[in-house]
């Protein structure tokens, strides 16, 4: 889980799947200007657009600005990863700050796909509080999509 700046500097050392989270309006950044490092180790790079809106709370946005993650986007995130989840060796998730949306998505994907991330250790290492920093709406939408799309 990285910020936009750190993601642009990141060079994978193993086959890596990347999830890039952009925003709408003034929180939007140009994918062409902010490219990831060239590497043959990117298994796939997928881009999704939703803002850091957590259950009606606008984080860093003006009231009425932006768009929260919806069921369709969450379904795409999960279904896009399904073909890779058993073979990929690393997962990079980044948004602008590499904090709220990224942590919600990463921890949701961990719960859906059993990626082996220890939640408490992860939160401690990243200095995040579950209730304060992790975007709960993103987490819940990813987990709900996983339950619908993945047959045990």
């Amino acid at each position: 889980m990285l910020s936009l700046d750190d993601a642009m500097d990141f060079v994978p050392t193993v086959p890596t799947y990347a999830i890039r989270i952009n925003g709408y309006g003034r929180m939007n950044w140009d994918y062409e200007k902010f490219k990831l490092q060239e590497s043959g180790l990117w298994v796939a790079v997928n881009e999704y657009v939703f803002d850091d809106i957590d259950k009606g709370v606008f984080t860093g946005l003006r009231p009425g600005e932006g768009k929260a993650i919806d069921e369709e986007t969450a379904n795409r995130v999960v279904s896009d990863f399904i073909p890779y989840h058993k073979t990929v060796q690393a997962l990079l998730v980044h948004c602008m700050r590499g904090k709220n949306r990224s942590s919600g998505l990463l921890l949701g994907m961990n719960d859906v796909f059993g990626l082996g991330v220890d939640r408490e250790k992860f939160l401690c290492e990243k200095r995040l509080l579950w209730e304060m920093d992790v975007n709960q709406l993103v987490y819940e939408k990813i987990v709900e999509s996983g339950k619908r799309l993945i047959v045990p």
Side-chain angles (χ1 to χ4, degrees):
M1 183 182 85
L2 299 173
S3 68
L4 174 60
D5 289 337
D6 291 340
M8 290 184 338
D9 293 334
F10 178 81
V11 178
T13 57
V14 297
T16 302
Y17 184 96
I19 296 175
R20 307 188 79 194
I21 306 169
N22 204 339
Y24 289 95
R26 67 184 178 92
M27 302 302 274
N28 181 274
W29 39 269
D30 182 357
Y31 286 111
E32 289 302 312
K33 184 177 178 186
F34 297 99
K35 293 182 178 185
L36 297 178
Q37 296 288 322
E38 293 290 328
S39 173
L41 291 174
W42 293 117
V43 174
V45 177
N46 286 309
E47 301 159 347
Y48 307 94
V49 182
F50 57 91
D51 291 301
D52 190 15
I53 299 171
D54 191 356
K55 296 185 179 178
V57 177
F58 295 83
T59 309
L61 299 168
R62 296 178 190 107
E65 182 181 49
K67 181 181 173 199
I69 190 170
D70 56 20
E71 183 178 315
E72 179 184 341
T73 302
N75 287 344
R76 278 195 357 262
V77 170
V78 171
S79 62
D80 288 350
F81 189 64
I82 289 172
Y84 302 98
H85 80 280
K86 291 184 179 178
T87 57
V88 72
Q89 293 180 32
L91 173 62
L92 167 73
V93 178
H94 88 80
C95 58
M96 181 70 81
R97 294 186 311 139
K99 189 175 179 182
N100 309 98
R101 291 174 290 173
S102 293
S103 62
L105 193 143
L106 177 64
L107 292 172
M109 295 289 276
N110 182 60
D111 287 358
V112 169
F113 292 101
L115 302 176
V117 175
D118 179 305
R119 179 188 295 187
E120 294 309 313
K121 184 178 176 183
F122 171 81
L123 292 172
C124 184
E125 287 175 355
K126 297 292 184 179
R127 297 181 181 178
L128 300 173
L129 297 173
W130 175 254
E131 300 82 14
M132 299 284 295
D133 298 315
V134 177
N135 188 308
Q136 299 294 308
L137 180 64
V138 172
Y139 171 82
E140 290 171 9
K141 290 286 185 187
I142 295 297
V143 171
E144 289 168 7
S145 290
K147 288 177 181 175
R148 278 193 308 274
L149 297 172
I150 298 176
V151 179

